[in-house]
Protein backbone atom coordinates (compact mmCIF):
# COMPACT_ATOMS: atom_id res chain seq x y z
CA UNK A 1 0.00 0.00 0.00
CA UNK A 2 1.43 3.46 -0.91
CA UNK A 3 2.79 5.50 1.98
CA UNK A 4 0.33 8.18 3.15
CA UNK A 5 2.65 11.16 2.69
CA UNK A 6 1.52 14.71 3.64
CA UNK A 7 0.87 15.64 0.01
CA UNK A 8 -1.14 12.46 -0.62
CA UNK A 9 -3.16 13.01 2.57
CA UNK A 10 -3.82 16.64 1.62
CA UNK A 11 -5.11 15.64 -1.82
CA UNK A 12 -7.39 13.03 -0.26
CA UNK A 13 -8.68 15.49 2.34
CA UNK A 14 -9.05 18.33 -0.21
CA UNK A 15 -6.82 20.77 1.66
CA UNK A 16 -3.67 22.63 0.68
CA UNK A 17 -0.62 20.50 1.52
CA UNK A 18 2.22 21.95 3.60
CA UNK A 19 5.52 23.20 2.26
CA UNK A 20 7.73 20.10 2.41
CA UNK A 21 11.45 19.45 2.62
CA UNK A 22 11.75 16.40 0.38
CA UNK A 23 15.41 15.92 1.17
CA UNK A 24 18.47 16.32 -1.00
CA UNK A 25 17.95 20.06 -1.39
CA UNK A 26 14.46 19.72 -2.92
CA UNK A 27 11.38 21.51 -1.54
CA UNK A 28 7.72 21.33 -2.55
CA UNK A 29 5.63 24.52 -2.41
CA UNK A 30 1.88 24.31 -3.22
CA UNK A 31 0.50 27.41 -4.96
CA UNK A 32 -3.33 27.58 -5.24
CA UNK A 33 -5.19 27.69 -8.56
CA UNK A 34 -8.38 29.73 -8.06
CA UNK A 35 -11.69 28.05 -8.91
CA UNK A 36 -10.07 24.93 -10.35
CA UNK A 37 -10.62 21.28 -9.33
CA UNK A 38 -6.85 20.72 -9.40
CA UNK A 39 -6.70 23.17 -6.46
CA UNK A 40 -2.96 23.85 -6.56
CA UNK A 41 0.29 23.54 -8.48
CA UNK A 42 3.27 21.98 -6.75
CA UNK A 43 6.19 24.33 -7.35
CA UNK A 44 9.56 22.75 -6.60
CA UNK A 45 12.53 24.63 -5.20
CA UNK A 46 15.96 23.18 -5.93
CA UNK A 47 18.84 24.42 -3.81
CA UNK A 48 21.92 25.20 -5.90
CA UNK A 49 25.39 26.64 -5.44
CA UNK A 50 24.11 29.94 -6.91
CA UNK A 51 20.83 30.17 -5.04
CA UNK A 52 17.40 28.53 -5.35
CA UNK A 53 16.02 27.50 -8.73
CA UNK A 54 12.25 27.02 -9.13
CA UNK A 55 10.56 24.43 -11.28
CA UNK A 56 7.35 26.21 -12.38
CA UNK A 57 5.92 29.15 -10.44
CA UNK A 58 2.15 28.76 -10.09
CA UNK A 59 -0.88 30.91 -10.91
CA UNK A 60 -0.44 34.67 -10.77
CA UNK A 61 -2.79 36.38 -8.35
CA UNK A 62 -2.20 38.19 -5.03
CA UNK A 63 -2.72 35.02 -2.99
CA UNK A 64 -0.38 33.02 -5.22
CA UNK A 65 2.34 35.67 -4.93
CA UNK A 66 2.10 35.70 -1.16
CA UNK A 67 2.04 31.91 -0.81
CA UNK A 68 4.96 31.39 -3.18
CA UNK A 69 7.07 33.95 -1.27
CA UNK A 70 6.19 32.39 2.10
CA UNK A 71 6.99 28.92 0.76
CA UNK A 72 10.40 30.07 -0.43
CA UNK A 73 10.94 31.63 3.00
CA UNK A 74 10.09 28.32 4.67
CA UNK A 75 12.95 26.81 2.67
CA UNK A 76 15.29 29.44 4.07
CA UNK A 77 15.39 31.89 1.16
CA UNK A 78 13.77 35.10 -0.04
CA UNK A 79 11.99 35.56 -3.36
CA UNK A 80 14.79 37.95 -4.32
CA UNK A 81 17.31 35.10 -3.93
CA UNK A 82 15.85 33.04 -6.79
CA UNK A 83 18.59 32.33 -9.31
CA UNK A 84 16.51 30.79 -12.11
CA UNK A 85 13.15 29.38 -13.15
CA UNK A 86 12.63 26.17 -15.13
CA UNK A 87 9.22 26.01 -16.81
CA UNK A 88 7.76 22.61 -17.68
CA UNK A 89 5.17 24.23 -19.99
CA UNK A 90 3.47 27.54 -20.64
CA UNK A 91 0.04 27.04 -19.02
CA UNK A 92 -0.79 29.81 -16.51
CA UNK A 93 -0.87 27.51 -13.49
CA UNK A 94 2.81 26.76 -14.22
CA UNK A 95 4.22 29.85 -15.95
CA UNK A 96 1.90 32.48 -14.47
CA UNK A 97 4.17 33.89 -11.75
CA UNK A 98 7.39 33.74 -13.78
CA UNK A 99 7.37 37.43 -14.71
CA UNK A 100 6.78 38.41 -11.08
CA UNK A 101 9.65 36.20 -9.91
CA UNK A 102 11.95 37.61 -12.58
CA UNK A 103 11.03 41.22 -11.76
CA UNK A 104 11.72 40.62 -8.06
CA UNK A 105 14.92 38.60 -8.32
CA UNK A 106 16.39 39.07 -11.80
CA UNK A 107 16.19 35.30 -12.28
CA UNK A 108 16.59 33.76 -15.72
CA UNK A 109 13.64 31.84 -17.17
CA UNK A 110 14.18 28.67 -19.19
CA UNK A 111 11.75 26.78 -21.43
CA UNK A 112 11.88 24.41 -24.39
CA UNK A 113 11.99 26.29 -27.69
CA UNK A 114 8.76 24.66 -28.93
CA UNK A 115 7.04 26.03 -25.84
CA UNK A 116 8.66 29.44 -26.04
CA UNK A 117 7.40 29.79 -29.62
CA UNK A 118 3.83 29.26 -28.34
CA UNK A 119 4.31 31.98 -25.70
CA UNK A 120 5.63 34.40 -28.33
CA UNK A 121 2.83 33.56 -30.78
CA UNK A 122 0.09 34.10 -28.20
CA UNK A 123 1.60 37.43 -27.12
CA UNK A 124 1.82 38.61 -30.72
CA UNK A 125 -1.80 37.79 -31.65
CA UNK A 126 -4.54 40.20 -30.48
CA UNK A 127 -7.18 38.49 -28.34
CA UNK A 128 -9.96 39.25 -30.86
CA UNK A 129 -7.98 37.68 -33.69
CA UNK A 130 -7.10 34.66 -31.55
CA UNK A 131 -10.75 34.05 -30.66
CA UNK A 132 -11.85 34.64 -34.27
CA UNK A 133 -9.38 32.06 -35.51
CA UNK A 134 -10.66 29.58 -32.95
CA UNK A 135 -14.29 30.27 -33.89
CA UNK A 136 -13.61 29.52 -37.58
CA UNK A 137 -11.93 26.28 -36.69
CA UNK A 138 -14.71 25.22 -34.36
CA UNK A 139 -17.40 26.13 -36.88
CA UNK A 140 -15.77 23.73 -39.34
CA UNK A 141 -15.85 21.10 -36.60
CA UNK A 142 -19.64 21.29 -36.33
CA UNK A 143 -19.68 23.21 -33.04
CA UNK A 144 -23.15 24.74 -32.52
CA UNK A 145 -23.71 28.47 -32.48
CA UNK A 146 -24.54 28.70 -28.77
CA UNK A 147 -21.07 27.39 -27.91
CA UNK A 148 -19.45 29.72 -30.44
CA UNK A 149 -21.33 32.64 -28.88
CA UNK A 150 -19.65 31.79 -25.57
CA UNK A 151 -16.23 32.54 -27.05
CA UNK A 152 -17.06 36.25 -27.29
CA UNK A 153 -17.64 36.56 -23.53
CA UNK A 154 -15.00 34.06 -22.52
CA UNK A 155 -12.78 35.29 -19.69
CA UNK A 156 -9.66 33.55 -20.96
CA UNK A 157 -9.19 30.97 -18.20
CA UNK A 158 -8.39 28.12 -20.57
CA UNK A 159 -5.00 26.43 -20.50
CA UNK A 160 -4.28 27.71 -24.00
CA UNK A 161 -6.16 30.98 -24.17
CA UNK A 162 -5.77 34.70 -23.50
CA UNK A 163 -4.84 34.09 -19.84
CA UNK A 164 -1.30 33.47 -21.07
CA UNK A 165 -0.99 36.80 -22.91
CA UNK A 166 1.02 38.43 -20.12
CA UNK A 167 3.40 35.52 -19.65
CA UNK A 168 7.13 36.22 -19.55
CA UNK A 169 9.13 35.24 -22.62
CA UNK A 170 11.96 32.91 -21.55
CA UNK A 171 15.57 33.98 -21.98
CA UNK A 172 17.13 30.50 -21.84
CA UNK A 173 16.41 27.33 -23.81
CA UNK A 174 15.95 23.83 -22.42
CA UNK A 175 17.32 21.19 -24.79
CA UNK A 176 16.39 17.51 -24.66
CA UNK A 177 19.10 15.35 -23.13
CA UNK A 178 21.18 18.29 -21.94
CA UNK A 179 21.75 19.78 -18.50
CA UNK A 180 18.99 22.07 -17.22
CA UNK A 181 21.65 24.52 -16.06
CA UNK A 182 21.15 24.30 -12.29
CA UNK A 183 24.57 24.97 -10.72
CA UNK A 184 25.86 22.00 -8.73
CA UNK A 185 22.94 19.69 -9.61
CA UNK A 186 22.68 16.70 -11.94
CA UNK A 187 19.44 17.74 -13.60
CA UNK A 188 18.73 16.72 -17.20
CA UNK A 189 16.02 17.88 -19.60
CA UNK A 190 13.59 15.31 -21.00
CA UNK A 191 11.43 16.66 -23.85
CA UNK A 192 7.98 15.12 -23.41
CA UNK A 193 5.56 16.67 -25.94
CA UNK A 194 1.89 15.78 -25.85
CA UNK A 195 0.15 17.89 -23.22
CA UNK A 196 1.83 20.82 -24.98
CA UNK A 197 4.37 20.84 -27.84
CA UNK A 198 7.33 21.84 -25.69
CA UNK A 199 6.49 20.20 -22.37
CA UNK A 200 9.56 18.99 -20.49
CA UNK A 201 10.21 16.74 -17.53
CA UNK A 202 13.39 17.16 -15.48
CA UNK A 203 15.40 14.12 -14.42
CA UNK A 204 17.31 14.53 -11.16
CA UNK A 205 20.01 11.88 -11.32
CA UNK A 206 21.33 12.10 -7.77
CA UNK A 207 21.60 9.90 -4.68
CA UNK A 208 19.89 8.63 -2.64
CA UNK A 209 17.30 8.10 -5.39
CA UNK A 210 16.59 9.28 -8.92
CA UNK A 211 13.64 11.63 -9.28
CA UNK A 212 11.58 12.94 -12.17
CA UNK A 213 9.96 16.35 -11.89
CA UNK A 214 7.18 15.49 -14.29
CA UNK A 215 5.07 18.64 -14.67
CA UNK A 216 1.71 17.56 -16.08
CA UNK A 217 3.14 14.74 -18.19
CA UNK A 218 2.83 12.03 -15.55
CA UNK A 219 0.36 12.43 -12.67
CA UNK A 220 -0.62 9.73 -10.15
CA UNK A 221 -4.34 9.43 -10.99
CA UNK A 222 -5.18 12.16 -13.52
CA UNK A 223 -4.81 11.88 -17.28
CA UNK A 224 -3.54 15.21 -18.65
CA UNK A 225 -5.45 16.89 -21.46
CA UNK A 226 -3.86 16.12 -24.83
CA UNK A 227 -5.16 18.55 -27.44
CA UNK A 228 -4.21 19.74 -30.91
CA UNK A 229 -1.29 22.17 -31.03
CA UNK A 230 -1.45 25.43 -32.99
CA UNK A 231 -0.37 24.88 -36.59
CA UNK A 232 1.20 27.17 -39.17
CA UNK A 233 -0.17 27.05 -42.71
CA UNK A 234 1.70 24.49 -44.76
CA UNK A 235 3.03 22.59 -41.74
CA UNK A 236 2.61 18.84 -41.53
CA UNK A 237 -0.47 18.27 -39.29
CA UNK A 238 0.58 17.58 -35.73
CA UNK A 239 -0.12 14.36 -33.85
CA UNK A 240 -0.04 15.37 -30.17
CA UNK A 241 -1.49 12.10 -28.90
CA UNK A 242 1.17 10.16 -30.79
CA UNK A 243 3.78 12.51 -29.30
CA UNK A 244 2.36 11.94 -25.83
CA UNK A 245 2.38 8.14 -26.11
CA UNK A 246 5.96 8.14 -27.41
CA UNK A 247 7.00 10.47 -24.57
CA UNK A 248 5.44 8.15 -22.01
CA UNK A 249 7.45 5.23 -23.38
CA UNK A 250 10.67 7.22 -22.91
CA UNK A 251 9.82 7.94 -19.27
CA UNK A 252 8.97 4.28 -18.62
CA UNK A 253 12.35 3.24 -20.02
CA UNK A 254 14.06 5.81 -17.77
CA UNK A 255 12.30 4.29 -14.71
CA UNK A 256 12.95 7.03 -12.12
CA UNK A 257 12.55 5.87 -8.53
CA UNK A 258 10.23 8.73 -7.55
CA UNK A 259 7.93 11.05 -9.50
CA UNK A 260 7.47 14.64 -8.34
CA UNK A 261 4.40 15.82 -10.32
CA UNK A 262 2.99 19.33 -10.59
CA UNK A 263 -0.39 18.24 -9.22
CA UNK A 264 -1.72 15.82 -6.62
CA UNK A 265 1.18 14.06 -4.85
CA UNK A 266 4.52 12.31 -5.39
CA UNK A 267 4.55 8.61 -6.22
CA UNK A 268 6.67 5.69 -7.43
CA UNK A 269 6.38 3.04 -10.19
CA UNK A 270 6.57 5.25 -13.26
CA UNK A 271 6.45 2.21 -15.64
CA UNK A 272 3.21 1.03 -14.03
CA UNK A 273 1.57 4.44 -14.34
CA UNK A 274 2.73 4.67 -17.96
CA UNK A 275 1.15 1.31 -18.75
CA UNK A 276 -2.14 2.49 -17.27
CA UNK A 277 -2.09 5.64 -19.42
CA UNK A 278 -1.20 3.72 -22.59
CA UNK A 279 -4.08 1.31 -21.94
CA UNK A 280 -6.45 4.22 -21.25
CA UNK A 281 -5.75 5.91 -24.57
CA UNK A 282 -5.81 2.62 -26.49
CA UNK A 283 -9.31 2.03 -25.15
CA UNK A 284 -10.43 5.54 -26.06
CA UNK A 285 -9.06 5.21 -29.58
CA UNK A 286 -10.72 1.82 -30.07
CA UNK A 287 -14.04 3.14 -28.78
CA UNK A 288 -13.89 6.21 -31.03
CA UNK A 289 -12.96 4.09 -34.04
CA UNK A 290 -15.97 1.88 -33.31
CA UNK A 291 -18.26 4.90 -33.30
CA UNK A 292 -16.87 6.01 -36.67
CA UNK A 293 -17.61 2.55 -38.06
CA UNK A 294 -21.24 3.06 -37.13
CA UNK A 295 -21.53 6.47 -38.85
CA UNK A 296 -19.40 9.46 -39.95
CA UNK A 297 -19.05 12.06 -37.21
CA UNK A 298 -18.13 15.70 -36.90
CA UNK A 299 -15.60 16.61 -34.22
CA UNK A 300 -18.39 17.95 -32.01
CA UNK A 301 -20.34 14.70 -32.35
CA UNK A 302 -17.23 12.66 -31.63
CA UNK A 303 -16.58 14.64 -28.46
CA UNK A 304 -20.16 14.08 -27.30
CA UNK A 305 -19.76 10.33 -27.80
CA UNK A 306 -16.54 10.02 -25.79
CA UNK A 307 -16.46 9.27 -22.07
CA UNK A 308 -15.63 12.14 -19.72
CA UNK A 309 -15.56 12.48 -15.94
CA UNK A 310 -19.15 13.78 -16.07
CA UNK A 311 -22.02 13.36 -18.53
CA UNK A 312 -21.84 15.73 -21.51
CA UNK A 313 -25.01 17.52 -20.38
CA UNK A 314 -23.26 18.49 -17.11
CA UNK A 315 -20.09 19.90 -18.70
CA UNK A 316 -19.74 23.67 -18.69
CA UNK A 317 -18.31 25.83 -21.46
CA UNK A 318 -14.64 25.36 -20.61
CA UNK A 319 -14.99 21.62 -19.97
CA UNK A 320 -16.70 21.15 -23.33
CA UNK A 321 -14.06 23.27 -25.02
CA UNK A 322 -11.28 21.09 -23.63
CA UNK A 323 -13.23 17.92 -24.45
CA UNK A 324 -13.54 18.99 -28.10
CA UNK A 325 -9.83 19.76 -28.23
CA UNK A 326 -8.93 16.35 -26.79
CA UNK A 327 -11.35 14.59 -29.13
CA UNK A 328 -9.58 16.36 -32.00
CA UNK A 329 -6.26 14.89 -30.88
CA UNK A 330 -7.75 11.38 -30.81
CA UNK A 331 -9.29 11.81 -34.25
CA UNK A 332 -5.96 13.07 -35.57
CA UNK A 333 -4.27 9.96 -34.15
CA UNK A 334 -6.77 7.71 -35.95
CA UNK A 335 -6.10 9.60 -39.19
CA UNK A 336 -2.31 9.38 -38.70
CA UNK A 337 -2.47 5.64 -38.12
CA UNK A 338 -4.69 5.04 -41.17
CA UNK A 339 -7.80 4.09 -39.22
CA UNK A 340 -9.85 7.13 -40.21
CA UNK A 341 -10.02 9.88 -42.78
CA UNK A 342 -11.47 13.38 -42.82
CA UNK A 343 -13.77 14.52 -45.62
CA UNK A 344 -12.83 18.18 -45.95
CA UNK A 345 -14.64 19.27 -49.11
CA UNK A 346 -17.65 20.53 -47.15
CA UNK A 347 -18.46 21.90 -43.70
CA UNK A 348 -18.80 20.67 -41.13
CA UNK A 349 -15.90 18.28 -41.67
CA UNK A 350 -16.82 14.66 -41.01
CA UNK A 351 -14.60 11.72 -40.10
CA UNK A 352 -15.05 8.23 -41.55
CA UNK A 353 -13.57 4.94 -40.35
CA UNK A 354 -11.22 3.14 -42.72
Amino acid sequence: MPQDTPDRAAWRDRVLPPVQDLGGGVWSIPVPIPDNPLRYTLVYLLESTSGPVLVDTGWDDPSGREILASGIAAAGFALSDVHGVLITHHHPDHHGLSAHVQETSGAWIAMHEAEASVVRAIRDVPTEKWIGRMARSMRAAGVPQDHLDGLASWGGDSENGPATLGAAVPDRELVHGESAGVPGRELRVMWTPGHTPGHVCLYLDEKPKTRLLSGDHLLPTITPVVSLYPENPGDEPTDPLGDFLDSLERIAALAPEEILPAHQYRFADAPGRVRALLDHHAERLADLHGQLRDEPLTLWQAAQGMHWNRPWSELGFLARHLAVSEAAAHLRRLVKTGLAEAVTDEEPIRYHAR
Side-chain angles (χ1 to χ4, degrees), residues 124-147:
D124 292 343
V125 176
T127 302
E128 297 78 9
K129 184 176 180 180
W130 187 90
I131 292 177
R133 182 186 299 171
M134 180 181 292
R136 289 191 296 274
S137 175
M138 296 181 77
R139 192 173 293 111
V143 175
Q145 189 60 47
D146 61 342
H147 188 86

Side-chain angles (χ1 to χ4, degrees), residues 160 225-228 299 320-330:
N160 294 295
V225 172
V226 180
S227 55
L228 283 185
L299 171 54
R320 288 190 177 189
H321 181 79
L322 294 176
V324 168
S325 189
E326 185 156 358
H330 283 74

Side-chain angles (χ1 to χ4, degrees), residues 55-262:
V55 177
D56 292 333
T57 57
W59 188 278
D60 186 8
D61 69 1
S63 175
R65 293 186 179 200
E66 179 180 344
I67 289 173
L68 178 63
S70 64
I72 293 172
F77 303 97
L79 183 62
S80 58
D81 296 329
V82 174
H83 175 65
V85 178
L86 301 166
I87 298 298
T88 61
H89 61 296
H90 77 275
H91 290 164
D93 56 323
H94 297 258
H95 187 35
L97 277 166
S98 298
H100 172 66
V101 172
Q102 188 175 57
E103 289 167 3
T104 304
S105 66
W108 47 259
I109 300 174
M111 186 183 286
H112 191 279
E113 175 54 32
E115 204 73 357
S117 67
V118 174
V119 173
R120 289 192 292 266
I122 292 175
R123 286 172 62 97
D124 292 343
V125 176
T127 302
E128 297 78 9
K129 184 176 180 180
W130 187 90
I131 292 177
R133 182 186 299 171
M134 180 181 292
R136 289 191 296 274
S137 175
M138 296 181 77
R139 192 173 293 111
V143 175
Q145 189 60 47
D146 61 342
H147 188 86
L148 294 176
D149 290 342
L151 288 174
S153 57
W154 183 27
D157 56 350
S158 164
E159 291 183 328
N160 294 295
T164 61
L165 285 171
V169 176
D171 45 34
R172 290 195 182 187
E173 181 181 351
L174 297 176
V175 179
H176 176 67
E178 295 188 2
S179 169
V182 180
R185 307 302 298 254
E186 294 295 326
L187 189 69
R188 189 164 80 246
V189 178
M190 303 293 296
W191 180 40
T192 50
H195 182 54
T196 66
H199 189 290
V200 297
C201 296
L202 299 160
Y203 181 59
L204 190 60
D205 189 7
E206 297 178 354
K207 294 180 180 181
K209 57 186 172 183
T210 58
R211 293 164 160 174
L212 185 79
L213 292 93
S214 65
D216 282 1
H217 185 65
L218 198 61
L219 304 169
T221 68
I222 296 171
T223 304
V225 172
V226 180
S227 55
L228 283 185
Y229 309 150
E231 297 174 19
N232 295 316
D235 282 355
E236 176 71 14
T238 56
D239 179 18
L241 183 54
D243 292 341
F244 180 66
L245 300 177
D246 290 344
S247 300
L248 286 174
E249 296 275 16
R250 289 199 296 274
I251 295 304
L254 189 65
E257 295 171 83
E258 185 177 44
I259 307 297
L260 306 183

